[in-house]
Amino acid sequence: QKSAALWRRALCLLQAASDWSLQSSLPSLGAAVSACANAKRWRQAISAVASMAEDSLRPTVVVCNAALTACEKGSSWVSALRLFAVMSRPGGSFRPDAISLNAALSACEKGHQWERALWLLTVGLAESGIEANTRSFNSAMCSFQGIHWQRAVEFLEQLGQVGLRRDLVTYNSASSACGKGFQWEATIA
C-alpha cells in the first residue's frame, strides 16, 4: 500500500517539475524509478528512464538497474531483456554490471524463460563482459524447473569448476528443479 502511494507521488513530482519548466535531476529521476521498482510498476520505471533523454540526462547503471528490478518484480522478462540489451550496446555511456545481469536473470526465472536465462549466461555474458557470480547461476538454476532438471545439476557442478562458492540457495534451487522433475534421487547424489 505504502509503495503504491510513493511511486505515484514521485511521478507526480516529476510531472510538476516539468510543468513548471524545471529540469529534472538525475537523483530525482533515479528516486522515481526506484519507487516504481518497489511498487512493481515496470512500465512507469521504463517510461521514467526514457524521459531522461528528454531532459538531456544520461541514465546511469544504477538507475537502469532500478528499472531492471522493476521489470523483474513486475514479471516483465521481455522488458528486462530489452533494457539489458540496450545497456549492453557497444559505445554506450556505461555497461551493465552483475546487478544488471542478476535482475535480468531473475526476470527470466519468474517468467519461466529458461532458454533466455541460459542465453544470458552464455552469449549475454560474453557480449557484455560481466563476470557471473553465484547469484547469477542460482537465478538461472531456478528457471530450470521440471523437465530441465539435468541442466540444474550441470550448473551445480559448473559452479565448483569456475571457482564460485555454492550456497544454500544453490542447493535448494538444484533440489527444487530435481524434485519438480521427479528426480529426487539426484538431489541426494
Side-chain angles (χ1 to χ4, degrees), residues 26-89:
L26 193 56
S28 62
L29 282 163
V33 172
S34 292
C36 291
N38 289 334
K40 304 177 186 178
R41 306 301 294 201
W42 63 270
R43 285 184 181 93
Q44 290 80 1
I46 296 289
S47 178
V49 170
S51 75
M52 291 181 161
E54 296 170 12
D55 290 330
S56 302
L57 295 172
R58 284 188 164 166
T60 64
V61 70
V62 173
V63 170
C64 286
N65 284 348
L68 279 169
T69 300
C71 294
E72 178 252 326
K73 288 181 177 182
S75 300
S76 181
W77 61 269
V78 173
S79 296
L81 291 181
R82 283 185 185 148
L83 181 54
F84 188 84
V86 168
M87 293 170 71
S88 300
R89 285 185 188 147

Side-chain angles (χ1 to χ4, degrees), residues 89-166:
R89 285 185 188 147
S93 59
F94 61 87
R95 305 291 290 161
D97 59 14
I99 295 169
S100 315
L101 172 68
N102 292 339
L105 283 167
S106 186
C108 289
E109 169 204 337
K110 289 182 178 167
H112 308 289
Q113 299 296 315
W114 70 270
E115 297 101 335
R116 286 172 176 84
L118 188 58
W119 180 89
L120 267 177
L121 275 178
T122 54
V123 178
L125 281 177
E127 290 178 358
S128 65
I130 301 169
E131 285 191 38
N133 57 29
T134 301
R135 183 164 183 231
S136 307
F137 279 87
N138 290 348
S139 291
M141 267 198 292
C142 285
S143 68
F144 301 144
Q145 301 298 316
I147 62 172
H148 306 292
W149 64 270
Q150 300 96 330
R151 291 192 189 274
V153 173
E154 289 170 15
F155 268 47
L156 186 63
E157 293 169 0
Q158 285 179 351
L159 266 172
Q161 293 169 359
V162 297
L164 292 174
R165 201 184 64 156
R166 299 170 188 140

